[in-house]
Amino acid sequence: ATIVDLHSFACPASAPFFGYLGAAAAMSLANLGAAYGTAKSGTGISGMGVGRPDLVMKALIPVVMAGVVGIYGLIIAVIISTKIKAPVLENGSPHPQYTIFAGAAHLASGLAGGFSGLAAGVAIGIVGDVGTRALGQQPKLFVGMILILIFAEALGLYGLIVALIFSAASPGTCP
């Protein structure tokens, strides 16, 4: 008869790696989208501002919306990282507190939120670039541009909601 270590199945030492990978993915992918959205929108604002400097402040909305996508990634990363538990010492040996299920849930949470943020940032950047240039030629397009930006931002919000649901899953316990 062999003794089976249940800790190695339910709570392997590698489980926190997946949780932290999820937090890093949420932060880096969402910020990549936010950076792209800011840069792409900024070039459109600069191009439009040469001819219509009076509309520059009005045209900053895509940059703000791109920044919010980065905040979504930050929220997800903070929530995940606060739920990762370090091993505790019991009788001189480390006893894991973080299950592989929790690690997988947090990885999925980070990837869902991060890739949604990336997609939202790209959409905001493209709409912000073209929309602000068009706004310089026809100011009546402002409301239409804002509506399109709201739907682009919603992609990141959907990812945030799914990430919160994934990260709220019951992690189970280590034997």
Side-chain angles (χ1 to χ4, degrees), residues 133-157:
R133 291 176 195 267
L135 180 68
Q137 295 174 2
Q138 178 53 265
K140 291 181 182 178
L141 294 173
F142 181 72
V143 173
M145 179 186 79
I146 295 301
L147 286 174
I148 296 167
L149 286 168
I150 288 170
F151 285 111
E153 179 82 26
L155 299 174
L157 187 59

Side-chain angles (χ1 to χ4, degrees), residues 24-127:
M27 192 71 209
S28 58
L29 291 170
N31 280 331
L32 185 61
Y36 180 85
T38 300
K40 189 83 168 144
S41 297
T43 59
I45 293 167
S46 298
M48 182 271 305
V50 172
R52 295 291 306 269
D54 55 312
L55 294 176
V56 169
M57 292 306 289
K58 202 175 194 182
L60 285 175
I61 292 173
V63 173
V64 172
M65 293 180 85
V68 171
V69 170
I71 294 171
Y72 292 163
L74 175 66
I75 291 168
I76 296 165
V78 167
I79 288 172
I80 291 171
S81 65
T82 58
K83 292 185 176 188
I84 298 173
K85 298 176 185 174
V88 295
L89 285 177
E90 286 184 4
N91 300 327
S93 64
H95 182 73
Q97 300 293 310
Y98 190 70
T99 64
I100 191 67
F101 180 83
H106 292 152
L107 176 60
S109 174
L111 290 174
F115 277 118
S116 295
L118 178 61
V122 169
I124 289 168
I126 293 169
V127 172

